[in-house]
Amino acid sequence: RECSSCRSRYTTYERVESARLVVVKTNGTREEFDRDKLADGLKQALVRRPVGAGVAGEAADEIEAALRAQGLNEVASKDIGQLAMEKLRAVDHIAYIRFMSVYQSFDDIEQLKQEVDALYEERSDRVPGQTTLRLVAEDGAITPIGPRGTPRRRPSKRK
């Protein structure tokens, strides 16, 4: 598009305007659903993770679509948080743990450990080549092997 007076060119994005969706927070306050706020929260959890740039936006779109498909005018913030955690769990376990640890505000480290242990158990169900394998040598030493079959370097101990 182009401005008829100054001749500047610009791009517009169209989005279907649907009925208002109100979020009911845990303290009882209500505010309008903000897709960008949700996407920003997902992006924060995904910082420095090996996922595509548009993953947070796509997840926010899918969560919004799921909420609107329910046909409700109001939705609890805890339901949005639950959907966000499910999306992150499917995309990246570290991002999921980051988001969950802030969202659920654990009382103690044991609760966090239980969740990490559950994720670790899930890893054993993954496709071969995506998990870390261990090779046991004749002398009993265990060498971690990466997904490409090459030995993984052990982290150096700094003094």
Side-chain angles (χ1 to χ4, degrees):
R1 296 184 183 209
E2 185 176 271
C3 177
S4 58
S5 60
C6 69
R7 302 308 243 192
S8 292
R9 296 184 60 88
Y10 59 93
T11 302
T12 59
Y13 298 95
E14 295 183 23
R15 182 182 289 205
V16 175
E17 187 173 325
S18 49
R20 282 185 60 213
L21 184 62
V22 176
V23 178
V24 180
K25 298 196 162 210
T26 53
N27 65 4
T29 61
R30 289 169 163 68
E31 68 179 47
E32 193 164 340
F33 175 79
D34 185 354
R35 181 219 165 267
D36 294 331
K37 183 176 176 181
L38 174 60
D40 288 343
L42 296 170
K43 281 180 194 173
Q44 273 193 313
L46 290 164
V47 167
R48 292 190 303 269
R49 297 302 305 151
V51 296
V55 170
E58 290 171 11
D61 289 341
E62 291 171 10
I63 291 169
E64 182 179 10
L67 293 171
R68 292 193 184 281
Q70 293 176 359
L72 302 172
N73 294 332
E74 292 185 350
V75 63
S77 60
K78 67 177 182 163
D79 295 338
I80 296 171
Q82 202 61 38
L83 289 170
M85 285 192 300
E86 289 172 17
K87 289 291 178 190
L88 287 172
R89 186 179 189 134
V91 171
D92 185 84
H93 286 170
I94 300 297
Y96 165 72
I97 291 293
R98 286 177 179 171
F99 187 90
M100 184 196 53
S101 67
V102 171
Y103 179 74
Q104 301 232 339
S105 61
F106 292 124
D107 293 330
D108 62 15
I109 194 107
E110 186 61 32
Q111 292 173 318
L112 180 61
K113 182 185 178 308
Q114 289 172 356
E115 193 60 39
V116 171
D117 289 345
L119 286 174
Y120 191 74
E121 287 298 317
E122 273 183 24
R123 287 184 71 186
S124 64
D125 297 338
R126 293 173 106 180
V127 177
Q130 290 182 336
T131 59
T132 300
L133 304 174
R134 296 191 180 276
L135 178 66
V136 180
E138 288 180 20
D139 63 357
I142 298 175
T143 304
I145 302 296
R148 294 188 186 103
T150 57
R152 295 181 111 182
R153 293 186 334 175
R154 294 186 187 263
S156 60
K157 294 181 183 178
R158 292 186 178 176
K159 294 181 180 180

